[in-house]
Amino acid sequence: MSWAIVRIVSGLLLLTIAFLLCLVLSLPWFVGPAVVLVGAVLRHRVDAVHLPRRRFAVSWDVAVAAALGMVLVAPIVVSAFRMAPGDVPPGFFNVDTPYALEQVHSLTEATSYPPGSLSNLGGGRSYHFATMGMAALLSRTTALRPHQALFGIVLPVLALATVASAFAAARAVAPALPASLSVPLLLVAIPSFWYSFSDVAGPMVWEAIATRQLAPIADLTTNYELWGPASIVAQNVGAHMLVLASLAAVVAAPARGWSLPVFLIGTGILIKVSTGVALVACVLLVQAWHAITTRQLRAIVPALAVAAVFVST
């Protein structure tokens, strides 16, 4: 089930990229998503629209892990649902949230890329639009208002996908560990995946070692914005899911193939620039090392595929 959720969100990302590509090429916005859907049906036939049927057994370990995971992402879901009702959001949590919603409104009405700025006259620049683009695509294809699509659907779905990605990564990386231990550990990343460890935590840790005191690293536990599942900013929620899904997909690639990790990592820059660049660099380094140690040049092929998708993006 965890892989099914990851693939569903990956499909939504693919539709969003097709939508953004239409804006780049000045085509009608629905052409790209329609081509993707038709292509999926032609390739997979009825399987393209079937819901997952795989049966799975729920143990106490899995149930506890799922409960802990949902508790950890609860701030995202609760705050999003509180901003979703009404014709306009009743309020905002976090100063960056209105800016993300501005991007959704802009993409909902845009006919070119990058969309025009709604806060600066004549402004417009490239940005990591994927998460906001998902909401804009949903708003265009449904009767939902932009804030309802973002807060009522996209952010809660990404929160669920983050937990599902943690389950998939835990099973792929450390199947022997109890899920009730590995899943929360993967979710609680400090500092968060969208921060640079060397810029944020590095100086704190170095000062703590130099002074032999714990006070310099106290900010890592007191500043909630450094905690992975605590941020409700759209692109940060997407980045957390992206890292865990990419980790699971890369580790499971020998059994499941490289298509999913190549797509997620290659297009990750659209979700969060810093996260996408870091993931590409990691794959290039890991696969190069694998090719050197095993003396098999074919290990470079996935890295080259990731690089090609990244450059195209």
Side-chain angles (χ1 to χ4, degrees):
M1 181 59 71
S2 57
W3 281 110
I5 296 174
V6 170
R7 288 188 173 275
I8 289 172
V9 174
S10 299
L12 178 58
L13 175 60
L14 179 58
L15 290 172
T16 301
I17 293 173
F19 158 61
L20 295 177
L21 181 60
C22 287
L23 298 183
V24 172
L25 300 177
S26 298
L27 296 173
W29 66 269
F30 55 83
V31 171
V35 169
V36 170
L37 291 174
V38 171
V41 172
L42 291 177
R43 180 179 179 182
H44 300 286
R45 306 296 178 180
V46 294
D47 290 337
V49 294
H50 276 172
L51 294 176
R53 296 179 179 179
R54 182 175 299 177
R55 297 180 180 179
F56 58 97
V58 179
S59 63
W60 280 108
D61 180 45
V62 171
V64 171
L68 291 174
M70 295 311 297
V71 168
L72 289 172
V73 300
I76 300 172
V77 178
V78 172
S79 60
F81 281 154
R82 291 190 63 183
M83 292 185 287
D87 293 335
V88 295
F92 292 108
F93 295 90
N94 192 298
V95 68
D96 289 328
T97 305
Y99 181 72
L101 182 58
E102 175 196 328
Q103 307 304 325
V104 179
H105 277 277
S106 182
L107 286 167
T108 302
E109 301 295 333
T111 57
S112 61
Y113 187 92
S117 173
L118 298 182
S119 56
N120 296 283
L121 182 62
R125 62 188 179 90
S126 297
Y127 195 62
H128 28 235
F129 284 123
T131 306
M132 288 75 82
M134 294 179 188
L137 179 59
L138 287 173
S139 181
R140 283 178 182 256
T141 55
T142 65
L144 293 174
R145 295 179 180 272
H147 73 282
Q148 294 170 340
L150 178 64
F151 301 134
I153 296 181
V154 172
L155 291 188
V157 167
L158 288 178
L160 176 62
T162 300
V163 177
S165 299
F167 267 97
R171 290 168 179 167
V173 176
L177 284 179
S180 56
L181 175 63
S182 56
V183 169
L185 286 177
L186 286 169
L187 288 172
V188 183
I190 306 173
S192 306
F193 293 134
W194 49 88
Y195 286 105
S196 169
F197 184 88
S198 59
D199 290 340
V200 177
M204 299 180 189
V205 174
W206 180 256
E207 184 179 354
I209 295 174
T211 60
R212 298 181 182 180
Q213 297 179 355
L214 295 178
I217 61 175
D219 197 41
L220 290 178
T221 58
T222 57
N223 185 359
Y224 75 92
E225 289 189 351
L226 296 179
W227 289 56
S231 177
I232 60 172
V233 180
Q235 60 267 24
N236 292 346
V237 177
H240 200 172
M241 183 279 301
L242 173 68
V243 172
L244 293 177
S246 299
L247 173 63
V250 168
V251 176
R256 291 180 169 268
W258 276 95
S259 298
L260 183 60
V262 166
F263 169 71
L264 288 174
I265 297 173
T267 60
I269 191 174
L270 292 176
I271 293 180
K272 183 78 173 181
V273 172
S274 56
T275 304
V277 172
L279 286 172
V280 171
C282 287
V283 169
L284 295 178
L285 180 61
V286 168
Q287 291 305 117
W289 178 253
H290 182 55
I292 293 173
T293 55
T294 61
R295 298 182 181 180
Q296 295 180 352
L297 291 179
R298 62 183 180 182
I300 292 293
V301 174
L304 294 177
V306 168
V309 175
F310 175 77
V311 171
S312 300
T313 303

